[in-house]
PDB file of all heavy atoms in Angstrom:
ATOM      1  N   GLN A  15      20.128 -10.216  23.472  1.00 88.00           N
ATOM      2  CA  GLN A  15      20.596 -11.001  22.336  1.00 88.00           C
ATOM      3  C   GLN A  15      19.347 -11.650  21.604  1.00 88.00           C
ATOM      4  O   GLN A  15      19.448 -11.798  20.402  1.00 88.00           O
ATOM      5  CB  GLN A  15      21.501 -12.069  22.882  1.00 88.00           C
ATOM      6  CG  GLN A  15      22.949 -11.498  23.381  1.00 88.00           C
ATOM      7  CD  GLN A  15      22.817 -10.836  24.675  1.00 88.00           C
ATOM      8  OE1 GLN A  15      21.806 -11.129  25.460  1.00 88.00           O
ATOM      9  NE2 GLN A  15      23.722  -9.947  24.964  1.00 88.00           N
ATOM     10  N   GLU A  16      18.369 -12.045  22.433  1.00 88.00           N
ATOM     11  CA  GLU A  16      17.291 -12.757  21.767  1.00 88.00           C
ATOM     12  C   GLU A  16      16.375 -11.911  20.943  1.00 88.00           C
ATOM     13  O   GLU A  16      15.678 -12.310  20.052  1.00 88.00           O
ATOM     14  CB  GLU A  16      16.445 -13.435  22.906  1.00 88.00           C
ATOM     15  CG  GLU A  16      17.093 -14.635  23.602  1.00 88.00           C
ATOM     16  CD  GLU A  16      16.337 -15.103  24.781  1.00 88.00           C
ATOM     17  OE1 GLU A  16      15.474 -14.339  25.375  1.00 88.00           O
ATOM     18  OE2 GLU A  16      16.508 -16.325  25.173  1.00 88.00           O
ATOM     19  N   VAL A  17      16.373 -10.577  21.223  1.00 87.00           N
ATOM     20  CA  VAL A  17      15.477  -9.675  20.477  1.00 87.00           C
ATOM     21  C   VAL A  17      16.249  -8.956  19.403  1.00 87.00           C
ATOM     22  O   VAL A  17      15.605  -8.156  18.676  1.00 87.00           O
ATOM     23  CB  VAL A  17      14.785  -8.697  21.464  1.00 87.00           C
ATOM     24  CG1 VAL A  17      13.953  -9.348  22.448  1.00 87.00           C
ATOM     25  CG2 VAL A  17      15.880  -7.784  22.060  1.00 87.00           C
ATOM     26  N   GLN A  18      17.455  -9.114  19.213  1.00 84.00           N
ATOM     27  CA  GLN A  18      18.250  -8.464  18.193  1.00 84.00           C
ATOM     28  C   GLN A  18      17.626  -8.929  16.831  1.00 84.00           C
ATOM     29  O   GLN A  18      17.411 -10.083  16.639  1.00 84.00           O
ATOM     30  CB  GLN A  18      19.751  -8.783  18.253  1.00 84.00           C
ATOM     31  CG  GLN A  18      20.381  -8.130  19.411  1.00 84.00           C
ATOM     32  CD  GLN A  18      20.489  -6.591  19.325  1.00 84.00           C
ATOM     33  OE1 GLN A  18      20.396  -6.067  18.198  1.00 84.00           O
ATOM     34  NE2 GLN A  18      20.442  -5.988  20.513  1.00 84.00           N
ATOM     35  N   ASN A  19      17.356  -7.936  15.998  1.00 83.00           N
ATOM     36  CA  ASN A  19      16.824  -8.118  14.679  1.00 83.00           C
ATOM     37  C   ASN A  19      15.404  -8.739  14.651  1.00 83.00           C
ATOM     38  O   ASN A  19      14.902  -9.170  13.739  1.00 83.00           O
ATOM     39  CB  ASN A  19      17.747  -9.030  13.809  1.00 83.00           C
ATOM     40  CG  ASN A  19      19.119  -8.423  13.586  1.00 83.00           C
ATOM     41  OD1 ASN A  19      19.261  -7.257  13.422  1.00 83.00           O
ATOM     42  ND2 ASN A  19      20.172  -9.335  13.711  1.00 83.00           N
ATOM     43  N   GLN A  20      14.789  -8.614  15.835  1.00 85.00           N
ATOM     44  CA  GLN A  20      13.423  -9.016  15.913  1.00 85.00           C
ATOM     45  C   GLN A  20      12.449  -7.776  15.928  1.00 85.00           C
ATOM     46  O   GLN A  20      12.950  -6.678  16.198  1.00 85.00           O
ATOM     47  CB  GLN A  20      13.094  -9.799  17.254  1.00 85.00           C
ATOM     48  CG  GLN A  20      13.927 -11.142  17.352  1.00 85.00           C
ATOM     49  CD  GLN A  20      13.504 -12.108  16.333  1.00 85.00           C
ATOM     50  OE1 GLN A  20      12.356 -12.133  15.852  1.00 85.00           O
ATOM     51  NE2 GLN A  20      14.413 -12.920  15.857  1.00 85.00           N
ATOM     52  N   THR A  21      11.238  -7.968  15.611  1.00 83.00           N
ATOM     53  CA  THR A  21      10.313  -6.754  15.585  1.00 83.00           C
ATOM     54  C   THR A  21       9.763  -6.463  16.962  1.00 83.00           C
ATOM     55  O   THR A  21       9.718  -7.357  17.830  1.00 83.00           O
ATOM     56  CB  THR A  21       9.223  -7.017  14.622  1.00 83.00           C
ATOM     57  OG1 THR A  21       8.401  -8.218  15.108  1.00 83.00           O
ATOM     58  CG2 THR A  21       9.652  -7.269  13.165  1.00 83.00           C
ATOM     59  N   LEU A  22       9.283  -5.302  17.127  1.00 82.00           N
ATOM     60  CA  LEU A  22       8.734  -4.801  18.432  1.00 82.00           C
ATOM     61  C   LEU A  22       7.455  -5.614  18.630  1.00 82.00           C
ATOM     62  O   LEU A  22       7.217  -6.035  19.856  1.00 82.00           O
ATOM     63  CB  LEU A  22       8.363  -3.337  18.271  1.00 82.00           C
ATOM     64  CG  LEU A  22       7.818  -2.725  19.584  1.00 82.00           C
ATOM     65  CD1 LEU A  22       8.876  -2.628  20.653  1.00 82.00           C
ATOM     66  CD2 LEU A  22       7.236  -1.366  19.295  1.00 82.00           C
ATOM     67  N   ALA A  23       6.660  -5.987  17.618  1.00 81.00           N
ATOM     68  CA  ALA A  23       5.418  -6.723  17.860  1.00 81.00           C
ATOM     69  C   ALA A  23       5.659  -8.066  18.463  1.00 81.00           C
ATOM     70  O   ALA A  23       4.959  -8.585  19.286  1.00 81.00           O
ATOM     71  CB  ALA A  23       4.640  -6.773  16.601  1.00 81.00           C
ATOM     72  N   MET A  24       6.857  -8.720  17.987  1.00 82.00           N
ATOM     73  CA  MET A  24       7.042 -10.073  18.506  1.00 82.00           C
ATOM     74  C   MET A  24       7.448  -9.991  19.903  1.00 82.00           C
ATOM     75  O   MET A  24       7.097 -10.900  20.686  1.00 82.00           O
ATOM     76  CB  MET A  24       8.295 -10.631  17.605  1.00 82.00           C
ATOM     77  CG  MET A  24       8.671 -12.098  17.922  1.00 82.00           C
ATOM     78  SD  MET A  24       9.697 -12.366  19.441  1.00 82.00           S
ATOM     79  CE  MET A  24      11.101 -11.459  18.970  1.00 82.00           C
ATOM     80  N   ALA A  25       8.241  -9.017  20.311  1.00 82.00           N
ATOM     81  CA  ALA A  25       8.760  -8.930  21.745  1.00 82.00           C
ATOM     82  C   ALA A  25       7.738  -8.463  22.772  1.00 82.00           C
ATOM     83  O   ALA A  25       7.767  -8.791  23.875  1.00 82.00           O
ATOM     84  CB  ALA A  25      10.016  -8.154  21.760  1.00 82.00           C
ATOM     85  N   THR A  26       6.917  -7.483  22.339  1.00 83.00           N
ATOM     86  CA  THR A  26       5.980  -6.768  23.280  1.00 83.00           C
ATOM     87  C   THR A  26       4.512  -6.886  22.994  1.00 83.00           C
ATOM     88  O   THR A  26       3.706  -6.555  23.820  1.00 83.00           O
ATOM     89  CB  THR A  26       6.354  -5.253  23.275  1.00 83.00           C
ATOM     90  OG1 THR A  26       6.036  -4.689  22.051  1.00 83.00           O
ATOM     91  CG2 THR A  26       7.790  -5.039  23.532  1.00 83.00           C
ATOM     92  N   GLY A  27       4.161  -7.350  21.765  1.00 78.00           N
ATOM     93  CA  GLY A  27       2.783  -7.366  21.400  1.00 78.00           C
ATOM     94  C   GLY A  27       2.283  -6.077  20.880  1.00 78.00           C
ATOM     95  O   GLY A  27       1.050  -5.915  20.460  1.00 78.00           O
ATOM     96  N   PHE A  28       3.133  -4.979  20.818  1.00 70.00           N
ATOM     97  CA  PHE A  28       2.665  -3.719  20.347  1.00 70.00           C
ATOM     98  C   PHE A  28       3.215  -3.559  18.903  1.00 70.00           C
ATOM     99  O   PHE A  28       4.372  -3.682  18.605  1.00 70.00           O
ATOM    100  CB  PHE A  28       3.373  -2.601  21.158  1.00 70.00           C
ATOM    101  CG  PHE A  28       2.903  -1.206  20.766  1.00 70.00           C
ATOM    102  CD1 PHE A  28       1.609  -0.769  21.059  1.00 70.00           C
ATOM    103  CD2 PHE A  28       3.682  -0.355  20.089  1.00 70.00           C
ATOM    104  CE1 PHE A  28       1.142   0.523  20.768  1.00 70.00           C
ATOM    105  CE2 PHE A  28       3.288   0.934  19.745  1.00 70.00           C
ATOM    106  CZ  PHE A  28       2.037   1.417  20.148  1.00 70.00           C
ATOM    107  N   SER A  29       2.294  -3.608  17.972  1.00 62.00           N
ATOM    108  CA  SER A  29       2.652  -3.619  16.521  1.00 62.00           C
ATOM    109  C   SER A  29       3.178  -2.387  15.997  1.00 62.00           C
ATOM    110  O   SER A  29       2.978  -1.260  16.550  1.00 62.00           O
ATOM    111  CB  SER A  29       1.411  -4.108  15.796  1.00 62.00           C
ATOM    112  OG  SER A  29       0.449  -3.048  15.764  1.00 62.00           O
ATOM    113  N   VAL A  30       3.930  -2.565  14.844  1.00 52.00           N
ATOM    114  CA  VAL A  30       4.484  -1.403  14.211  1.00 52.00           C
ATOM    115  C   VAL A  30       3.485  -0.500  13.614  1.00 52.00           C
ATOM    116  O   VAL A  30       3.480   0.679  13.578  1.00 52.00           O
ATOM    117  CB  VAL A  30       5.436  -1.823  13.071  1.00 52.00           C
ATOM    118  CG1 VAL A  30       6.027  -0.606  12.336  1.00 52.00           C
ATOM    119  CG2 VAL A  30       6.604  -2.662  13.690  1.00 52.00           C
ATOM    120  N   GLU A  31       2.326  -1.157  13.181  1.00 55.00           N
ATOM    121  CA  GLU A  31       1.143  -0.449  12.671  1.00 55.00           C
ATOM    122  C   GLU A  31       0.633   0.501  13.683  1.00 55.00           C
ATOM    123  O   GLU A  31       0.180   1.705  13.483  1.00 55.00           O
ATOM    124  CB  GLU A  31       0.056  -1.354  12.159  1.00 55.00           C
ATOM    125  CG  GLU A  31       0.517  -2.133  10.841  1.00 55.00           C
ATOM    126  CD  GLU A  31       1.448  -3.290  11.165  1.00 55.00           C
ATOM    127  OE1 GLU A  31       1.630  -3.647  12.342  1.00 55.00           O
ATOM    128  OE2 GLU A  31       2.067  -3.775  10.169  1.00 55.00           O
ATOM    129  N   SER A  32       0.512   0.010  14.937  1.00 57.00           N
ATOM    130  CA  SER A  32       0.080   0.890  15.997  1.00 57.00           C
ATOM    131  C   SER A  32       0.979   2.041  16.313  1.00 57.00           C
ATOM    132  O   SER A  32       0.482   3.217  16.447  1.00 57.00           O
ATOM    133  CB  SER A  32      -0.177   0.072  17.221  1.00 57.00           C
ATOM    134  OG  SER A  32      -1.057  -1.009  17.111  1.00 57.00           O
ATOM    135  N   ALA A  33       2.239   1.767  16.209  1.00 52.00           N
ATOM    136  CA  ALA A  33       3.193   2.900  16.363  1.00 52.00           C
ATOM    137  C   ALA A  33       3.111   3.884  15.197  1.00 52.00           C
ATOM    138  O   ALA A  33       3.126   5.100  15.417  1.00 52.00           O
ATOM    139  CB  ALA A  33       4.609   2.316  16.470  1.00 52.00           C
ATOM    140  N   ALA A  34       2.989   3.365  14.023  1.00 52.00           N
ATOM    141  CA  ALA A  34       2.888   4.252  12.919  1.00 52.00           C
ATOM    142  C   ALA A  34       1.572   5.048  12.901  1.00 52.00           C
ATOM    143  O   ALA A  34       1.607   6.274  12.617  1.00 52.00           O
ATOM    144  CB  ALA A  34       2.915   3.387  11.605  1.00 52.00           C
ATOM    145  N   TYR A  35       0.544   4.460  13.416  1.00 52.00           N
ATOM    146  CA  TYR A  35      -0.726   5.196  13.558  1.00 52.00           C
ATOM    147  C   TYR A  35      -0.638   6.219  14.696  1.00 52.00           C
ATOM    148  O   TYR A  35      -1.049   7.340  14.544  1.00 52.00           O
ATOM    149  CB  TYR A  35      -1.901   4.212  13.837  1.00 52.00           C
ATOM    150  CG  TYR A  35      -3.119   4.965  14.180  1.00 52.00           C
ATOM    151  CD1 TYR A  35      -3.991   5.545  13.216  1.00 52.00           C
ATOM    152  CD2 TYR A  35      -3.642   5.074  15.515  1.00 52.00           C
ATOM    153  CE1 TYR A  35      -5.141   6.228  13.485  1.00 52.00           C
ATOM    154  CE2 TYR A  35      -4.816   5.774  15.806  1.00 52.00           C
ATOM    155  CZ  TYR A  35      -5.552   6.330  14.824  1.00 52.00           C
ATOM    156  OH  TYR A  35      -6.712   6.940  15.139  1.00 52.00           O
ATOM    157  N   GLY A  36      -0.002   5.784  15.693  1.00 49.00           N
ATOM    158  CA  GLY A  36       0.143   6.753  16.867  1.00 49.00           C
ATOM    159  C   GLY A  36       1.080   7.865  16.604  1.00 49.00           C
ATOM    160  O   GLY A  36       0.957   8.963  17.174  1.00 49.00           O
ATOM    161  N   LEU A  37       2.030   7.650  15.761  1.00 47.00           N
ATOM    162  CA  LEU A  37       3.061   8.729  15.506  1.00 47.00           C
ATOM    163  C   LEU A  37       2.832   9.281  14.100  1.00 47.00           C
ATOM    164  O   LEU A  37       3.742   9.903  13.562  1.00 47.00           O
ATOM    165  CB  LEU A  37       4.461   8.113  15.575  1.00 47.00           C
ATOM    166  CG  LEU A  37       4.839   7.670  16.957  1.00 47.00           C
ATOM    167  CD1 LEU A  37       6.199   6.922  16.855  1.00 47.00           C
ATOM    168  CD2 LEU A  37       5.020   8.857  17.873  1.00 47.00           C
ATOM    169  N   SER A  38       1.652   9.178  13.604  1.00 47.00           N
ATOM    170  CA  SER A  38       1.410   9.767  12.241  1.00 47.00           C
ATOM    171  C   SER A  38       0.864  11.237  12.475  1.00 47.00           C
ATOM    172  O   SER A  38       0.240  11.493  13.532  1.00 47.00           O
ATOM    173  CB  SER A  38       0.429   8.939  11.453  1.00 47.00           C
ATOM    174  OG  SER A  38      -0.743   8.825  12.226  1.00 47.00           O
ATOM    175  N   GLY A  39       0.962  11.987  11.451  1.00 45.00           N
ATOM    176  CA  GLY A  39       0.215  13.319  11.367  1.00 45.00           C
ATOM    177  C   GLY A  39       0.986  14.295  12.426  1.00 45.00           C
ATOM    178  O   GLY A  39       2.199  14.151  12.760  1.00 45.00           O
ATOM    179  N   PRO A  40       0.256  15.247  12.944  1.00 46.00           N
ATOM    180  CA  PRO A  40       0.850  16.320  13.844  1.00 46.00           C
ATOM    181  C   PRO A  40       1.424  15.692  15.148  1.00 46.00           C
ATOM    182  O   PRO A  40       2.172  16.291  15.812  1.00 46.00           O
ATOM    183  CB  PRO A  40      -0.273  17.276  13.992  1.00 46.00           C
ATOM    184  CG  PRO A  40      -1.528  16.495  13.799  1.00 46.00           C
ATOM    185  CD  PRO A  40      -1.236  15.473  12.668  1.00 46.00           C
ATOM    186  N   VAL A  41       0.920  14.459  15.546  1.00 44.00           N
ATOM    187  CA  VAL A  41       1.295  13.901  16.725  1.00 44.00           C
ATOM    188  C   VAL A  41       2.800  13.523  16.743  1.00 44.00           C
ATOM    189  O   VAL A  41       3.446  13.488  17.767  1.00 44.00           O
ATOM    190  CB  VAL A  41       0.451  12.680  17.104  1.00 44.00           C
ATOM    191  CG1 VAL A  41       0.860  12.064  18.434  1.00 44.00           C
ATOM    192  CG2 VAL A  41      -0.981  13.069  17.138  1.00 44.00           C
ATOM    193  N   ALA A  42       3.346  13.247  15.537  1.00 48.00           N
ATOM    194  CA  ALA A  42       4.668  12.728  15.429  1.00 48.00           C
ATOM    195  C   ALA A  42       5.714  13.747  15.895  1.00 48.00           C
ATOM    196  O   ALA A  42       6.786  13.440  16.340  1.00 48.00           O
ATOM    197  CB  ALA A  42       4.961  12.476  13.914  1.00 48.00           C
TER     198      ALA A  42
END
């Protein structure tokens, strides 16, 4: 309930930018 509508970076410290970078290009 506490993380609903919260971002991944807030809950885990892993930012969306890192995910986008990691899942960009042929790796996706």
